Amino acid sequence: MLAAGHAAVDLYQGAVPALVPFLVAERGYGYVAVSGVVLAATLLSSIVQPVFGVLTDRWRMPWLIPVSMVVAGTGVAVGGVTDSYALTWLAVALSGLGVAAYHPESARLARIASEGSHVRMSWFSLGGTLGFASAPVLVTPLLAAWGLGASPFLVVPAVLAALLTLPAIRATAGGGQATRTAAPVSGRDDWPSFARLTLVIVFRSVVYVGLSAFVALYMGGGTAGAVALFVLFAGGAAGTVLGGRLAARWGRVRTMRVAYALAVPAVAGVVLAPGPVAYAFIAASSIALYVPFSLHVTLGQDFLPSRVGTASGVTLGLAVSVGGLTSPLVGAMAEATTLQAALATLIAFPFLAYLLTHTLKEPAS
């Protein structure tokens, strides 16, 4: 149930890139304008998500999970029917606030439910990945048929998921103080390692958010663009599950290194491969970039064992969404040169992440 709730919230992160082709077609927005909308979804989330993490370290707030779901859905639903760019930006920012509020508390409860298992946490992360993947499947046909005016219907999954997850929230959060200390991690907080891990996630975020913002347009928009987004998001589902299983066998840090090394040629293929061949590289990029996804969360929590909420807020929130802060730069470069040239700059970031993983070690158990 917690994974299903994660899917519903991250659907709204995936819905924003799915809105981009329709904002271009119906409102005439340019690359900079639509990248600004992507920025709206991530800017407020980037700023406030660590704050929610600190709060959940001090107080249990399970009520925040269903409320944040509805807020995330409402923002996207309203963003499609506003009559100005400013109001669209603010509505999408509201959705980002809901996403920010959701992740720290839900990750804390998921850690309790998973009892510290990397594989089980990968299933929780898989829920979010499937939410991303389902966004173009849900959003594109709806808006293609009825236009942006149909976007209010997009709030329905948030309401249904909020109701669905209430029993799981009550069961997981209702165990008193013992609930708070379930699946403890020994050791002191390792802030230097956590800071380096955060930078790895930032590099990963820049390339993934850049691809999700522009790959639909790069592949031609319309059905081709929707397929590209679906492949990008669905490939992440395979990568998330694979990451948990590989980490159980090889260890988290080694798995991350291999994944980021493979991401470099995969992202290059997205930019350089001709025609339909690019879809294979989009899938490969997504898998490689998502193999480390749940591992970032558990590593961060193990580096900061006394601040699980803060670690979750940063690894699931700030460091992930900060990539959206660079999307206007990619859009500006695309307008100044070509979209292909702008996307080519993303190839460097998985390589930087790969290099930085060599400074990390598994936390002492």
Side-chain angles (χ1 to χ4, degrees):
M1 290 183 184
L2 289 171
H6 197 188
V9 166
D10 280 3
L11 181 150
Y12 296 104
Q13 291 199 75
V16 175
L19 286 173
V20 164
F22 296 96
L23 294 173
V24 172
E26 294 189 28
R27 299 187 183 175
Y29 291 171
Y31 290 133
V32 173
V34 293
S35 62
V37 173
V38 176
L39 173 65
T42 56
L43 178 61
L44 191 59
S45 179
S46 298
I47 295 171
V48 304
Q49 198 147 188
V51 176
F52 283 111
V54 172
L55 292 175
T56 57
D57 280 333
R58 296 188 177 186
W59 301 285
R60 289 179 294 184
M61 296 186 291
W63 56 267
L64 192 60
I65 294 176
V67 170
S68 62
M69 290 179 181
V70 175
V71 171
T74 300
V76 169
V78 172
V81 294
T82 55
D83 58 1
S84 73
Y85 181 83
L87 291 177
T88 298
W89 197 97
L90 290 172
V92 173
L94 176 67
S95 179
L97 177 63
V99 172
Y102 173 84
H103 280 107
E105 181 68 5
S106 67
R108 186 182 69 81
L109 294 187
R111 183 178 177 86
I112 293 169
S114 68
E115 299 178 334
S117 167
H118 307 321
V119 174
R120 293 176 186 173
M121 277 298 288
S122 74
W123 286 101
F124 171 72
S125 298
L126 174 63
T129 307
L130 291 177
F132 264 106
S134 64
V137 176
L138 174 66
V139 174
T140 301
L142 177 69
L143 301 189
W146 291 293
L148 289 170
S151 63
F153 290 106
L154 295 174
V155 77
V156 173
V159 175
L160 293 178
L163 295 174
L164 175 66
T165 55
L166 286 177
I169 294 169
R170 292 194 190 100
T172 311
Q177 185 63 24
T179 300
R180 194 165 176 81
T181 58
V185 178
S186 61
R188 293 183 296 180
D189 293 338
D190 183 356
W191 285 100
S193 293
F194 183 77
R196 292 193 294 273
L197 174 65
T198 299
L199 192 54
V200 168
I201 304 171
V202 168
F203 290 148
R204 183 256 182 204
S205 174
V206 170
V207 61
Y208 188 79
V209 174
L211 287 175
S212 65
F214 295 107
V215 74
L217 292 174
Y218 183 67
M219 296 302 292
T223 301
V227 170
L229 276 180
F230 177 77
V231 170
L232 181 71
F233 297 159
T240 301
V241 174
L242 183 62
R245 296 190 178 279
L246 291 178
R249 178 177 298 182
W250 294 348
R252 290 170 290 183
V253 173
R254 182 184 176 191
T255 300
M256 287 169 54
R257 287 172 186 163
V258 173
Y260 284 122
L262 294 175
V264 176
V267 174
V270 174
V271 179
L272 301 175
V277 178
Y279 287 110
F281 285 101
I282 292 171
S285 297
S286 181
I287 293 170
L289 291 170
Y290 260 98
V291 161
F293 187 65
S294 66
L295 312 183
H296 295 153
V297 180
T298 59
L299 268 175
Q301 292 173 338
D302 287 354
F303 283 142
L304 301 183
S306 70
R307 293 176 172 83
V308 170
T310 300
S312 302
V314 173
T315 56
L316 276 172
L318 174 63
V320 173
S321 57
V322 76
L325 303 180
T326 64
S327 60
L329 298 178
V330 178
M333 183 176 296
E335 291 194 346
T337 56
T338 65
L339 184 54
Q340 183 180 40
L343 292 179
T345 64
L346 301 178
I347 299 171
F349 290 95
F351 180 67
L352 293 173
Y354 164 75
L355 293 178
L356 199 55
T357 58
H358 286 275
T359 69
L360 298 175
K361 295 181 179 180
E362 290 283 344
S365 55

